[in-house]
Amino acid sequence: MSDLSLATTQAISLLISADPDLWTIIFLSFSVSLRAIIFSAPIAIIFAFCLAYFRFPGRQLLIALFNTAMSIPAVVVGLTLYLLLSRAGPMGDLKLLFTQDAMIMGQIVLCFPLLVALSHASLQSTDRRVWETAITLGAPTFYSILTVLKEARFGLMAAIIAGFGRIIAEVGSSMMVGGNILNYTRNIPTAIALETSKGSFAQGIALGLVLLLMALVLNLFLSIIQGRGEMVS
Amino acid sequence: MTKKVHDDNLITSKQYIHNFILNNILFVRNKKLILNDLNVELSSNHFVLMTGQNGSGKSTFLKVLSGLLKPDNFSITYQQKASEAAQSKSKFWFSQKFFLRKHFCYLHQTPYLFSGTVYDNVAYGLMHKKLAKDEIAHKVNEALKVVALDHLSKRNSYALSGGEKQRVAIARSWVIKPAFMLLDEPFANMDKHSRHSTYDTINQLKEDNIGIVLTSHDPHCGELAFNRHLHLYQGKMNENPI
């Protein structure tokens, strides 16, 4: 117990003293995950819109597939990408293995189904009158789509936050395709795994505290968004 | 549309009477015939009350008319000019729905107001028309005066009463100047005071030469100045005397 208290105290002092190694890891983690969410969210929302508003053969199957893919394990994504990106793999020539781009690819694969499924649920529950009102008022199709997205914005933001929460804390894919290289592909979860295996708990706890704090901030933000959504509707 | 047709129907320097003849409207849902080969003639100087029982197809008819629902069959003649036949029914509907949406504006029984202010809502239909900001502001204020809600332009849409929402929805449609406004049971869930304010607003629309089709259960719909009464029964339309 005293070891844990000591490690926690050291962790807090590491955070306060702005330890450069620690902050590089934190910055890298956010940079990779933010890029992954920025790339995937717009496409996922377009997908979700098509699933919610258009009827086409195979639609139900696609919805079921996205719902299933939500729970795909990060290590499985990591393994698959590793096999694809390794020198002997079909995408080996791209030389992406053990790069931030590979980590971003892994995180996109992980958050995309979650973003589609949650955005679809949000758009599906958006009042049909929004679409009908927009087009009956003469809005062009693109403008009408933007209107529906605007009216569903609280649910869509909740989906994006949930997607970000999923990838910022995943270790399996980042470890396998990133390689945990210091100052390049070492992010918070892979650093925690490494520091713990070395017995260096202070830095692990410090990084864990950052993740917890981030989870708290995201959830508070989500509560505020949902609160505003309830107030408006 | 030829210039001659325009001139024949000229009312003021700005407005024309739009004449529509809709034939053979057929709408089937779940193997049930909702609209059975309807033929309707509508002009934008008509103020039409449409009655019918629950489930008689009043809302379906209005949604077909406004291009929101695809009918199984229909043809349209506008200003005595029949629509050109397309290669397939889908292609025909694709071209016709935009035509219908341009001329007919549908208002839901319980209107949906977009998030934002009353002003934002009324300005919505003008935003994608290439108009200057001042012009939009002028038109929005004019529309809000028509429904006597100009004092609420900055109020958030979710803070309005049911009657006020209905009148904002009317202003929002009025401002884009459609040939027809299709009001689907606008007085449902409205108290007496709101009803009277809405009657006044709707009666005023007639002066602007905007045609109205209004559905209601009640054939004696208050103080509204109708000049036609249509009754929908078992998928067929009958013209009743006023």
Side-chain angles (χ1 to χ4, degrees):
Chain A
M1 191 65 192
S2 60
D3 283 351
L4 185 63
S5 315
L6 185 68
T8 310
T9 317
Q10 284 175 342
I12 293 167
S13 67
L14 268 176
L15 282 172
I16 295 169
S17 66
D19 180 65
D21 283 350
L22 191 76
W23 282 99
T24 304
I25 293 167
I26 294 167
F27 175 77
L28 196 143
S29 209
F30 276 86
S31 160
V32 167
S33 296
L34 275 175
R35 276 184 283 166
I37 212 87
I38 288 168
F39 287 134
S40 51
I43 301 165
I45 289 170
I46 293 169
F47 252 81
F49 185 89
C50 294
L51 289 173
Y53 278 81
F54 301 121
R55 298 289 173 268
F56 52 87
R59 176 180 161 271
Q60 285 299 338
L61 180 71
L62 270 177
I63 294 170
L65 283 176
F66 279 117
N67 283 329
T68 311
M70 270 203 297
S71 52
I72 191 167
V75 278
V76 175
V77 172
L79 174 68
T80 312
L81 267 183
Y82 187 94
L83 293 172
L84 288 172
L85 297 175
S86 62
R87 277 179 184 271
M91 293 163 75
D93 290 343
L94 297 173
K95 293 181 181 169
L96 287 173
L97 196 62
F98 305 137
T99 63
Q100 289 185 8
D101 289 343
M103 291 167 77
I104 292 170
M105 282 169 74
Q107 296 196 353
I108 287 175
V109 174
L110 278 172
C111 70
F112 192 78
L114 186 75
L115 286 171
V116 173
L118 295 182
S119 304
H120 170 251
S122 165
L123 288 165
Q124 189 75 45
S125 60
T126 306
D127 202 315
R128 289 276 143 174
R129 288 174 302 161
V130 178
W131 175 256
E132 291 182 348
T133 304
I135 55 177
T136 202
L137 289 171
T141 309
F142 181 69
Y143 202 86
S144 304
I145 293 172
L146 287 183
T147 304
V148 173
L149 296 182
K150 189 185 165 209
E151 295 302 306
R153 65 193 179 281
F154 298 111
L156 296 178
M157 279 166 83
I160 291 171
I161 289 171
F164 186 74
R166 163 116 161 109
I167 56 175
I168 191 85
E170 69 82 25
V171 64
S173 167
S174 295
M175 185 72 97
M176 291 179 87
V177 297
N180 202 16
I181 303 163
L182 183 62
N183 297 334
Y184 185 49
T185 57
R186 184 169 298 170
N187 64 6
I188 297 175
T190 59
I192 292 174
L194 179 73
E195 299 303 331
T196 309
S197 66
K198 287 186 338 195
S200 167
F201 296 115
Q203 201 166 20
I205 292 173
L207 291 165
L209 284 174
V210 173
L211 275 185
L212 279 174
L213 189 68
M214 190 214 66
L216 180 71
V217 170
L218 283 182
N219 276 298
L220 280 175
F221 187 55
L222 194 60
S223 304
I224 293 167
I225 287 172
Q226 283 168 342
R228 284 187 65 186
E230 280 165 19
M231 198 169 76
V232 168
S233 59
Chain B
M1 186 169 46
T2 62
K3 191 173 182 300
K4 188 179 179 308
V5 173
H6 263 175
D7 291 347
D8 287 346
N9 298 293
L10 195 65
I11 290 291
T12 67
S13 58
K14 286 179 184 174
Q15 298 240 294
Y16 303 99
I17 296 180
H18 301 264
N19 295 306
F20 299 88
I21 303 170
L22 295 116
N23 285 321
N24 312 110
I25 305 173
L26 185 74
F27 191 91
V28 184
R29 188 189 286 156
N30 300 330
K31 294 179 184 172
K32 194 186 165 199
L33 208 55
I34 309 288
L35 304 176
N36 185 5
D37 216 20
L38 297 187
N39 299 303
V40 187
E41 201 175 329
L42 293 168
S43 291
S44 57
N45 59 348
H46 287 173
F47 194 166
V48 184
L49 169 69
M50 185 187 283
T51 52
Q53 291 173 330
N54 273 342
S56 59
K58 300 189 294 293
S59 298
T60 305
F61 175 73
L62 294 192
K63 285 192 173 183
V64 167
L65 216 53
S66 52
L68 294 176
L69 275 182
K70 184 185 171 188
D72 292 275
N73 189 33
F74 99 113
S75 65
I76 185 165
T77 301
Y78 175 63
Q79 309 292 52
Q80 295 162 356
K81 189 183 170 192
S83 53
E84 287 172 23
Q87 287 169 324
S88 68
K89 273 187 184 176
S90 304
K91 279 185 182 170
F92 178 71
W93 174 244
F94 188 80
S95 61
Q96 292 306 306
K97 72 178 178 186
F98 291 107
F99 173 79
L100 290 171
R101 286 172 190 176
K102 189 179 161 194
H103 291 95
F104 293 86
C105 189
Y106 176 79
L107 283 92
H108 292 91
Q109 183 174 341
T110 313
Y112 186 95
L113 296 191
F114 303 122
S115 53
T117 61
V118 167
Y119 181 95
D120 297 335
N121 269 278
V122 179
Y124 183 88
L126 302 171
M127 297 310 275
H128 50 270
K129 296 185 174 174
K130 288 167 188 165
L131 296 173
K133 261 189 171 180
D134 291 350
E135 202 176 343
I136 292 176
H138 174 72
K139 283 174 184 281
V140 171
N141 289 330
E142 193 186 1
L144 285 171
K145 275 180 190 158
V146 169
V147 296
L149 287 177
D150 44 327
H151 59 292
L152 295 182
S153 70
K154 286 179 183 164
R155 184 167 294 182
N156 221 312
S157 60
Y158 65 81
L160 299 174
S161 69
E164 286 168 343
K165 280 184 181 171
Q166 190 62 263
R167 279 151 65 202
V168 170
I170 290 172
R172 189 170 61 177
S173 301
W174 181 87
V175 80
I176 59 169
K177 299 281 191 274
F180 264 91
M181 282 168 65
L182 313 174
L183 291 99
D184 196 355
E185 309 240 8
F187 309 114
N189 313 317
M190 246 189 224
D191 63 30
K192 203 176 172 184
H193 176 72
S194 299
R195 263 172 193 252
H196 281 281
S197 310
T198 315
Y199 286 152
D200 294 343
T201 302
I202 294 173
N203 278 330
Q204 203 172 334
L205 297 175
K206 201 181 166 189
E207 292 167 22
D208 296 310
N209 207 36
I210 294 175
I212 308 268
V213 180
L214 185 147
T215 63
S216 177
H217 294 296
D218 179 12
H220 312 288
C221 208
E223 303 143 16
L224 291 173
F226 299 109
N227 50 23
R228 285 179 72 189
H229 177 197
L230 299 173
H231 185 72
L232 200 56
Y233 180 70
Q234 292 185 338
K236 288 280 185 191
M237 193 86 84
N238 301 308
E239 181 107 32
N240 288 357
I242 291 286

